[in-house]
Amino acid sequence: MFTHIALQLEAAMILAAAVLLFQLLQRQKRNTIKSRPATTEDYLYKIARITGSSEYEIFRKSAEHWPVSKSIVDRDFKVYLLDQSTPCYVNAFLRKHKRQIDHLKLPPF
């Protein structure tokens, strides 16, 4: 009977250690994400989530005050999807709204 209790205690300790390790890894992951600087993709994603629009619509909105045709916006968005490079009109839009975007908190999912 004593060995049975000892085995249960050992299993409980292993389970507790696994849970603790998992929590530590999650905390480290969160701290790593917080410490990395926000990228252009992060800002586009955040604006899309806040406004309920797509990143493509943000490209279109960014180009409204620039002499950029719809076909150029389409081409630039395809390039963005391939290599995450953004045109100057999108970068200007993000810089203009950066302060407001930084103040908004979003849930992770």
Side-chain angles (χ1 to χ4, degrees):
M1 176 158 161
F2 181 70
T3 29
H4 183 64
I5 294 173
L7 288 175
Q8 286 181 340
L9 183 59
E10 183 180 348
M13 294 294 283
I14 290 172
L15 181 62
V19 168
L20 192 65
L21 179 63
F22 179 75
Q23 288 178 340
L24 288 171
L25 291 174
Q26 290 292 73
R27 180 176 291 162
Q28 182 182 9
K29 182 179 176 183
R30 277 193 305 265
N31 290 340
T32 301
I33 289 172
K34 287 179 184 178
S35 66
R36 120 182 131 72
T39 64
T40 303
E41 295 83 23
D42 294 333
Y43 282 108
L44 282 170
Y45 173 77
K46 196 169 184 181
I47 292 174
R49 294 249 344 251
I50 291 166
T51 62
S53 61
S54 67
E55 291 175 354
Y56 174 72
E57 290 170 343
I58 294 165
F59 267 68
R60 288 183 44 219
K61 177 76 173 163
S62 299
E64 285 180 351
H65 301 291
W66 288 69
V68 178
S69 68
K70 184 182 180 315
S71 62
I72 292 175
V73 172
D74 291 343
R75 183 201 67 201
D76 289 343
F77 187 69
K78 288 177 187 175
V79 169
Y80 167 72
L81 291 176
L82 291 173
D83 65 12
Q84 278 67 47
S85 63
T86 52
C88 59
Y89 57 90
V90 174
N91 290 331
F93 182 82
L94 295 175
R95 273 193 308 274
K96 180 179 178 184
H97 298 287
K98 184 181 183 311
R99 186 169 293 157
Q100 293 104 343
I101 299 166
D102 285 339
H103 288 295
L104 297 170
K105 302 292 183 214
L106 285 179
F109 300 104

